[in-house]
Amino acid sequence: MSADDGGRFADYGPPRRVDGGLRARSTRGAIGVSWWSRRFLEVLESFALGTRLTRGRSYARAGQVLSLDVAPGVVTAVVQGSRAKPYQVSVALPPFPARLWARIEGKLADQAFFSARLLAGDLPAELEELFIAAEAPLFPAAISDLDQRCSCPDVAVPCKHLAATFYLLAEAFDADPFTLLHWRGRSRADLLARLRHLRADAHASTTTQARDGESTAGAGFPADRGGTASPHPTGHNGHSDALATGPVDTGRDGGGWPGHHEADVPAAGAARALADLSVTPLAEAVDRFWLPPVPLPDRPPSLTAHPDLLLRQLGAPAPAIGGPGLVERLRPAYRQLGEE
């Protein structure tokens, strides 16, 4: 960071009042309600930035952020501080290249679970696993992954103006989860259009295969006496997804992208519970068709945090209740409770 004029940081007082700024919807407690916004803030809050985060939340709730814009690879904001001229803030995170996005879209289209949830406007928690399997983590692994800049004179990174931007950005993720994917390089419109195209191609390919199979059977080749020409048995005990109409042709050359190593994408939704089951003909399982063949798995946890994370984020307690030493006395208790 660099100061835009002379003077010491300590010379500047409270922030100037703002009319019409962007205010955080949360008025107290934690900011961010969805698993994806909390996952994003987890990186920031895990670094025990203390009072800077407290002041950043206050800025976000007071409406000190004048504007916030999210573009592929960079978030920009204008934050009103104590000076007459607002501060210019930017948070950069390299977007995924087009070739990598094409591969991820193919993986998303391969499983109807992802297509259905995304087309419904939701980001399933399993999406994070898919990105990790593709060696393209959706969230920054450390705060150092972000290129943070602010025109204020504070040398701390992040300063309270950057922290306020983080919190408003998390609420933007809550309001529209596709904002996160847009920051990583793919807009909602482009992603959903691509998924619809891939799913339509897969459906057309499967329909053609089924018709070819019927023609082959009619020409004197053996056919299933039950009349099942499709290679995808229906029903839970056949464990095929009714929407998963077969492999999706993503137009990829199989070469991946620089530095990538092929990895299996974990199954999601019902496919995760049914993946290891053998195929059972429908006629042999009709009496238990509507019963789940195995217990459904638990949803993956949406947030992992150290037991003493809250203590690390709070400022020093007042002397009347024990001062800084109180935190050190409480920390072992928090850790012990977290292990039980």
Side-chain angles (χ1 to χ4, degrees), residues 273-330:
L274 305 174
D276 296 331
L277 295 182
S278 59
V279 176
T280 303
L282 178 58
E284 299 178 14
V286 68
D287 61 327
R288 55 186 187 280
F289 180 79
W290 297 111
L291 299 176
V294 294
L296 294 178
D298 295 331
R299 292 293 299 273
S302 59
L303 181 65
T304 56
H306 295 291
D308 62 345
L309 177 59
L310 179 62
L311 290 177
R312 296 166 60 192
Q313 292 185 61
L314 296 175
I321 60 173
L326 176 63
V327 173
E328 296 307 316
R329 291 192 293 273
L330 288 175

Side-chain angles (χ1 to χ4, degrees), residues 22-28 30-33 37 60-61 167-176:
L22 303 177
R23 289 181 179 270
R25 293 184 296 276
S26 165
T27 58
R28 60 182 299 177
I31 293 180
V33 296
S37 64
R61 287 171 171 148
Y167 285 118
L168 265 295
L169 181 58
E171 288 208 338
F173 292 161
D174 278 336
D176 181 2

Side-chain angles (χ1 to χ4, degrees), residues 111-291:
Q111 299 190 49
F113 171 82
F114 289 115
S115 297
R117 294 286 293 272
L118 289 170
L119 290 169
D122 182 33
L123 296 189
E126 293 85 350
L127 189 70
E128 184 178 6
E129 297 179 35
L130 185 145
F131 275 85
I132 291 174
E135 297 186 1
L138 187 57
F139 300 96
I143 205 166
S144 58
D145 293 344
L146 303 168
D147 182 10
Q148 305 170 69
R149 299 179 183 274
C150 180
S151 61
C152 78
D154 191 352
V155 297
V157 179
C159 61
K160 55 182 175 289
H161 314 108
L162 277 160
T165 300
F166 277 119
Y167 285 118
L168 265 295
L169 181 58
E171 288 208 338
F173 292 161
D174 278 336
D176 181 2
F178 287 87
T179 302
L180 172 61
L181 301 182
H182 181 51
W183 190 27
R184 301 314 308 265
R186 191 59 100 228
S187 69
R188 172 200 287 260
D190 290 343
L191 176 61
L192 296 186
R194 180 65 174 160
L195 289 180
R196 290 189 183 100
H197 174 72
L198 292 173
R199 297 296 298 173
D201 283 353
H203 178 71
S205 175
T206 302
T207 302
T208 300
Q209 291 174 9
R211 288 173 180 170
D212 291 345
E214 291 172 358
S215 299
T216 301
F221 287 90
D224 189 306
R225 285 195 176 271
T228 305
S230 171
H232 300 282
T234 58
H236 290 299
N237 287 281
H239 72 80
S240 73
D241 191 326
L243 294 178
T245 54
V248 175
D249 180 5
T250 62
R252 295 166 287 176
D253 58 13
W257 58 89
H260 172 74
H261 301 285
E262 186 65 36
D264 292 334
V265 175
R272 177 173 293 176
L274 305 174
D276 296 331
L277 295 182
S278 59
V279 176
T280 303
L282 178 58
E284 299 178 14
V286 68
D287 61 327
R288 55 186 187 280
F289 180 79
W290 297 111
L291 299 176

